[in-house]
Amino acid sequence: MSLDTGDVVRRLGEGMAGGVLSFPLTSFHADGSLDPDGFRTHVAAQIATAPGAVFPACGTGEFFSLDEDEYRTVVSVTVQESAGRVPVVAGIGYGWAQAVRFARIAEEAGADALLVLPHYLVAAPQEGLVRQVEEIAARTRLPLIAYQRGQVTFGVEAFRRLADIPTVIGLKDGHSDLDRLQRLTLAAPEGFLFFNGAATAEIQARAYATVGVPAYSSAVHAFAPEIADAFFGALKAGDEGTVEKLLRDFYVPLVELRDRVPGYAVSLVKAAARLRGRPVGPVRAPLTDPSAADLADLRSLLGTGLDLVGAAL
């Protein structure tokens, strides 16, 4: 476990420049119980593709459905499988008191940093949003990345206070408000980390890069790292032809399929992983697995995407 904030920033910065950020799925048995062996297999395969960092127990990993013992297992397995090869950033959330309980578990398990997911349910003023992170930071030694999405949006003044917290090292953005985001990047201290956390982030990757945020998370990496890595490589190389073909023929149709049913941002990812033989199991309620018709469309689309990058289902 690294408690050197500067070292964590360096490693994350290098990782974010060199690959997509992996958000592994949490494996469940058919009865809904945690499947630690399946998760170990899945996260090991994710880490083997050398992502920029791995983020267990976050939104894609159904953090909201895990109890504390399950969370401990998920983070511990990720740290074990990473073995220091890539940074491990564990998700925490709810109100700050509960977030701190998860933070302590992640620290004991050996995580390198924490992603502070949007708090539970209520809207809050800017003062409260900053205080939420301050309360967590006061109770854990691990560096924090704040996540603005849903009911959490930081204005410039609140962001400056957030960035002044010594252990807050970055911001994940899921709002895609590029005007606001540009203001935040200009107000940030040197070395502060930003990354694009929009759903199916590849769709907006070029736009985010124009405001100084080229790094992004990739849900596609959880089931088709071949596609995710091909897109990242083409984007980095300025290969606009490949970028646009993957967007047109795979990513945009994937988003259209995702938008059919609430929760498909996770459910489709898990279903696609199962189609490829990954031991991730079903989603937990309140999410639902895709219908037979949507699953057939997903299978066809997955085949198209893999063909585009020369990979097999």
Side-chain angles (χ1 to χ4, degrees), residues 36-289:
D37 293 336
F39 178 72
R40 185 180 294 278
T41 298
H42 171 62
V43 78
Q46 290 284 286
I47 291 169
T49 65
V54 61
F55 290 68
C58 294
T60 305
E62 297 178 78
F63 165 78
F64 51 84
S65 77
L66 300 177
D67 67 27
E68 292 180 12
D69 288 339
E70 292 169 332
Y71 177 86
R72 184 186 303 276
T73 297
V74 166
V75 178
S76 296
V77 167
T78 306
V79 171
Q80 292 162 13
E81 293 301 321
S82 171
R85 289 176 289 167
V86 298
V88 175
V89 184
I92 60 172
Y94 305 115
W96 66 259
Q98 186 63 46
V100 167
R101 292 174 66 94
F102 284 105
R104 288 171 179 159
I105 293 170
E107 187 172 330
E108 292 167 1
D112 296 291
L114 303 168
L115 178 66
V116 183
L117 301 170
H119 64 269
Y120 172 69
L121 190 60
V122 296
Q126 295 287 286
E127 171 68 22
L129 297 180
V130 176
R131 284 288 303 279
Q132 162 88 344
V133 180
E134 287 176 337
E135 295 287 358
I136 297 169
R139 293 166 173 80
T140 178
R141 297 180 294 170
L142 293 182
L144 305 177
I145 297 171
Y147 187 4
Q148 61 171 16
R149 187 169 180 168
Q151 69 269 38
V152 176
T153 304
F154 293 102
V156 172
E157 292 308 313
F159 171 76
R160 286 195 176 106
R161 287 184 54 197
L162 186 77
D164 281 342
I165 301 171
T167 55
V168 173
I169 62 173
L171 180 74
K172 178 182 181 183
D173 176 74
H175 284 300
S176 305
D177 181 341
L178 298 184
D179 179 291
R180 180 186 295 271
L181 187 59
Q182 180 71 90
R183 296 168 192 265
L184 299 187
T185 61
L186 293 172
E190 184 177 358
F192 197 83
L193 303 173
F194 288 89
F195 66 95
N196 166 7
T200 317
E202 286 91 343
I203 290 286
Q204 300 180 62
R206 289 188 295 187
Y208 268 82
T210 65
V211 295
V213 184
Y216 60 89
S217 58
S218 175
V220 170
H221 189 272
F223 64 86
E226 305 97 324
I227 299 173
D229 290 344
F231 183 90
F232 180 88
L235 189 66
K236 189 172 182 180
D239 181 356
E240 290 296 313
T242 297
V243 167
E244 293 193 0
K245 187 161 186 61
L246 284 169
L247 287 173
R248 183 182 305 110
D249 295 342
F250 176 74
Y251 282 101
V252 169
L254 179 65
V255 168
E256 291 171 349
L257 181 55
R258 181 200 74 198
D259 289 347
R260 290 181 187 176
V261 177
Y264 266 17
V266 176
S267 300
L268 282 179
V269 174
K270 257 198 164 173
R274 291 195 301 273
L275 286 174
R276 303 201 72 197
R278 309 298 192 255
V280 297
V283 292
R284 274 182 174 173
L287 300 179
T288 58
D289 289 311

